[in-house]
Amino acid sequence: MELTVAQLAALVHGTVEGDASVCINNYSKIEEATEGCLTFLANPKYTHFIYTTGASAVLVRNDFQPEHPIKAALIRVEDPYKTLADLLNMVSAQAPEKKGIEQPCFISEGVEVPADAYVGAFAYVGKGVKMGKGVKIYPQAYVGDGVTLGDDVILYPGVKVYHGCKIGNRCIVHGGATIGGDGFGFAPKADGTYEKISQIGIVVLEDDVEIGANTTIDRATMGATVIKKGVKLDNLIQIGHNVEIGESTVIAAQAGVAGSTKIGKYNMIGGQVGFAGHITVGDKNAIGAQSGIPNNVGSNLRLMGYPVIEARDFARQQVYLKRLASLFADVNALKKEIEALKNK
């Protein structure tokens, strides 16, 4: 799709500075953009690129004040990052929708496939599956017996949804993710071996959840592992049995949440964060990457480290750690001076 800068600005309710007649036919990062591209500036550390970018137009904040001449046209908006996201969603929506049933695939007898749904080749749909409108099941996905899929659910290639799990409206599950595998439950025996504890619960994904590639969410021992409305999980995350993750929480890649832990609403959790089991985390926390959470955590905190502490205290600790070598040298020098004074 090709639009002029003026047309794009009208589409996003922005104002133009520069040549509004230039045509835009692509999108790119600001440091890699070429002629015909639209890019954006949202993070101040990339500001220097705006003076050298090859883009034809740049989305900037309304209050952006350039310090040098800029070759590209500027489209001033309230939030460049969100505006770009809206534009990319518009572009994505124009792609032709997949519909119909490809062969070979397996759909159990009695399963009703809506007319606007898509089932890709080599997909498996088990007994008693319920599908909402607009569901898309890509090739080689597995949907177990009794699974419920809400409206507009997308299961990308290789997704596995085990029996009985419930997926709400507009959920997206990326390739290789497994929903509803057994929780890690084993009872130790007197001889030192372990007996498997049957996991008879399910996983529930509420509406508007997105699950990254190769993420695993274990079914509950009893009851349900629950991922609340609007949660976004990155790739390669492990969610244990009977975990509950609160509304609109986001978790970055390689994090792990042990069984029966409850995480509140609107948390922002960095990559490789580890949560111990059977703990409670409050709402609206920001937890830095590689932090360890061994105990309960309150709300409205900025945390980092292991065991996790306030981010400001963690930063101070890092400063002190860098100075340890010189501090030890100072202490040793003082010891020598004291010994010398004693000998006198």
Side-chain angles (χ1 to χ4, degrees):
M1 180 177 67
E2 186 170 278
L3 295 171
T4 66
V5 170
Q7 289 170 324
L8 270 173
L11 200 61
V12 300
H13 308 292
T15 57
V16 179
E17 289 181 17
D19 189 352
S21 65
V22 172
C23 288
I24 301 297
N25 53 33
N26 206 347
Y27 301 84
S28 182
K29 296 190 294 185
I30 193 167
E31 67 270 30
E32 298 175 358
T34 56
E35 187 176 347
C37 288
L38 173 71
T39 188
F40 72 105
L41 176 62
N43 190 328
K45 75 178 184 179
Y46 290 95
T47 300
H48 63 284
F49 285 117
I50 199 169
Y51 305 112
T52 59
T53 184
S56 294
V58 185
L59 295 166
V60 297
R61 293 189 181 278
N62 287 323
D63 58 0
F64 172 70
Q65 297 297 324
E67 297 177 355
H68 308 287
I70 297 173
K71 183 177 70 173
L74 302 183
I75 302 176
R76 294 186 178 274
V77 293
E78 184 177 342
D79 185 341
Y81 191 70
K82 183 182 182 305
T83 299
L84 183 73
D86 291 341
L87 286 170
L88 294 179
N89 287 338
M90 290 179 196
V91 172
S92 179
Q94 291 183 353
E97 279 199 11
K98 285 186 170 288
K99 291 182 182 179
I101 300 172
E102 297 176 351
Q103 295 298 338
C105 70
F106 178 83
I107 300 174
S108 294
E109 186 177 349
V111 173
E112 294 185 11
V113 180
D116 60 351
Y118 165 68
V119 181
F122 300 101
Y124 178 98
V125 180
K127 295 179 182 178
V129 169
K130 295 180 181 177
M131 289 189 211
K133 296 178 292 183
V135 164
K136 292 179 176 58
I137 301 172
Y138 278 77
Q140 298 184 332
Y142 169 86
V143 182
D145 295 348
V147 166
T148 300
L149 303 176
D151 295 343
D152 300 311
V153 165
I154 300 175
L155 305 181
Y156 280 110
V159 168
K160 279 81 175 174
V161 184
Y162 283 31
H163 59 278
C165 294
K166 300 179 187 296
I167 298 182
N169 300 322
R170 300 174 300 280
C171 289
I172 300 172
V173 186
H174 288 277
T178 298
I179 311 298
D182 277 0
F184 195 63
F186 299 91
K189 297 163 68 174
D191 63 359
T193 61
Y194 292 87
E195 181 177 357
K196 183 176 177 61
I197 300 172
S198 295
Q199 308 290 293
I200 63 172
I202 62 171
V203 172
V204 175
L205 307 186
E206 295 188 353
D207 295 347
D208 302 303
V209 168
E210 184 158 352
I211 306 299
N214 294 317
T215 283
T216 59
I217 304 177
D218 291 346
R219 70 194 309 109
T221 306
M222 295 175 284
T225 301
V226 181
I227 312 299
K228 295 281 191 176
K229 180 179 179 180
V231 167
K232 313 298 181 188
L233 301 183
D234 199 356
N235 305 330
L236 295 165
I237 290 173
Q238 157 65 18
I239 306 296
H241 60 82
N242 291 93
V243 165
E244 181 178 305
I245 299 180
E247 183 177 336
S248 296
T249 284
V250 293
I251 305 180
Q254 299 182 2
V257 185
S260 298
T261 284
K262 312 297 181 189
I263 297 176
K265 305 175 184 177
Y266 306 109
N267 287 289
M268 298 178 67
I269 298 165
Q272 297 186 334
V273 173
F275 294 84
H278 301 272
I279 63 172
T280 300
V281 176
D283 303 331
K284 299 181 179 179
N285 295 303
I287 302 176
Q290 296 189 324
S291 295
I293 320 294
N295 300 305
N296 294 342
V297 169
S299 297
N300 300 297
L301 300 170
R302 296 180 63 84
L303 303 170
M304 199 162 186
Y306 180 83
V308 75
I309 56 175
E310 285 276 2
R312 285 177 296 183
D313 294 334
F314 179 81
R316 289 192 192 100
Q317 283 188 0
Q318 297 310 299
V319 172
Y320 296 149
L321 283 171
K322 289 179 181 178
R323 294 172 56 192
L324 273 180
S326 62
L327 288 173
F328 274 118
D330 291 344
V331 169
N332 288 332
L334 287 171
K335 283 182 177 178
K336 289 178 181 177
E337 288 183 19
I338 290 170
E339 287 299 321
L341 289 170
K342 283 182 178 178
N343 291 335
K344 288 181 180 180

